[in-house]
């Protein structure tokens, strides 16, 4: 009989258990729950300004980053060398445009690169290049500004020089004849290194 009474007492909820199951007491009027994207917290109503500052901090920082990015100069300042190179390129393009305009009506053009080979290493190829570029003909639009000395063998070099010609007025054979008229005694042969339409 005493054992049955003990079992009944265990099944009945205690006062403490009943108290825990009741509704939790309400918060004071001076306290409220504030929720942001980052966290939830209980704070005094007087601290609302602190929450407002935290909520606005992230957007403000992002806006400052955007402004800083806009102010950055991603390409740097143009140096004197850059200005000079751009000016030289503009002048070259203008000269080429003027040359094309001057040659309009003379037909198609070709770029010819010639290899001029001397008899020996004693031949002054720089002097030959200087004289060749002075050759004028209605079939020659212009000579290339640059030329190259390229090694052959036994200390002998060859001269690589280019020009733009009008196909109807000039060909490789005529061009070679004009060069040989100036330096026939110094030149062993004249060959075509490259040729293309312009």
């Amino acid at each position: 009989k005493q054992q049955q009474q003990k079992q009944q007492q265990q099944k009945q909820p205690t006062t403490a258990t009943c108290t825990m199951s009741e509704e939790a007491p309400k918060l004071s009027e001076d306290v409220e729950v504030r929720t942001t994207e980052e966290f939830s917290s209980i704070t005094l109503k007087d601290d609302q300004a602190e929450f407002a500052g935290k909520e606005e901090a992230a957007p403000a920082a992002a806006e400052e980053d955007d402004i800083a990015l806009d102010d950055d100069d991603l390409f740097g300042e143009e140096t004197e060398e850059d200005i000079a190179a751009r000016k030289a390129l503009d002048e070259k393009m203008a000269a080429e445009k003027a040359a094309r305009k001057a040659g309009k009506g003379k037909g198609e053009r070709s770029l010819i690169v010639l290899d001029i080979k001397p008899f020996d290493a004693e031949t002054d190829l720089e002097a030959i290049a200087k004289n060749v570029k002075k050759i004028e003909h209605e079939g020659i639009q212009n000579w290339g500004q640059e030329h190259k000395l390229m090694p052959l063998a036994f200390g002998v070099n060859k001269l690589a020089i280019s020009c733009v010609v009008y196909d109807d007025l000039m060909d490789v054979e005529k061009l070679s004849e004009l060069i040989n008229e100036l330096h026939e005694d110094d030149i062993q042969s004249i060959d075509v290194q490259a040729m293309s339409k312009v």
Side-chain angles (χ1 to χ4, degrees):
K1 195 173 183 179
Q2 291 179 355
Q3 186 176 0
Q4 291 179 355
Q5 290 177 355
K6 289 182 179 180
Q7 291 177 352
Q8 290 177 357
Q9 288 177 358
Q10 290 177 355
K11 292 180 180 179
Q12 293 177 357
T14 62
T15 303
T17 304
C18 293
T19 302
M20 292 298 293
S21 64
E22 293 178 357
E23 184 180 357
K26 296 183 178 180
L27 296 174
S28 168
E29 293 182 355
D30 295 332
V31 178
E32 68 176 358
V33 177
R34 293 297 304 273
T35 302
T36 68
E37 294 180 357
E38 292 83 7
F39 58 86
S40 299
S41 178
I42 299 175
T43 184
L44 295 175
K45 289 182 178 180
D46 293 340
D47 294 336
Q48 292 182 6
E50 180 181 354
F51 270 91
K54 291 181 179 179
E55 292 173 356
E56 296 174 358
E63 183 177 355
E64 290 178 0
D65 291 342
D66 292 340
I67 295 174
L69 182 61
D70 293 339
D71 291 340
D72 288 341
D73 187 356
L74 300 178
F75 299 99
E77 295 183 357
E78 193 175 29
T79 63
E80 293 182 359
E81 290 78 6
D82 295 334
I83 295 174
R86 178 166 50 81
K87 184 177 180 181
L89 180 60
D90 292 342
E91 291 176 352
K92 182 179 179 181
M93 293 178 65
E96 292 178 352
K97 184 177 180 181
R100 288 194 298 269
K101 185 177 180 180
K104 188 175 181 181
K106 292 187 178 182
E108 296 183 351
R109 297 169 300 159
S110 295
L111 171 64
I112 301 175
V113 181
L114 299 175
D115 282 343
I116 300 176
K117 300 176 183 178
F119 282 107
D120 52 46
E122 302 297 327
T123 304
D124 189 350
L125 294 177
E126 290 291 346
I128 292 177
K130 184 177 180 180
N131 291 333
V132 167
K133 291 180 182 181
K134 292 180 180 179
I135 297 175
E136 295 182 356
H137 190 280
E138 62 176 350
I140 300 175
Q141 176 182 296
N142 63 277
W143 290 94
Q145 294 183 356
E146 298 181 357
H147 59 271
K148 293 182 180 180
L149 301 184
M150 306 175 68
L152 288 174
F154 306 107
V156 179
N157 295 326
K158 66 178 180 179
L159 170 65
I161 193 168
S162 63
C163 67
V164 176
V165 301
Y166 299 105
D167 296 345
D168 293 340
L169 302 174
M170 181 63 64
D171 56 26
V172 175
E173 184 178 355
K174 292 180 181 179
L175 196 59
S176 299
E177 290 176 358
L178 292 174
I179 296 173
N180 279 318
E181 287 178 2
L182 295 176
H183 295 279
E184 184 177 3
D185 296 335
D186 299 321
I187 296 174
Q188 179 183 3
S189 64
I190 300 176
D191 302 314
V192 177
Q193 180 187 120
M195 186 173 181
S196 61
K197 294 294 183 181
V198 177

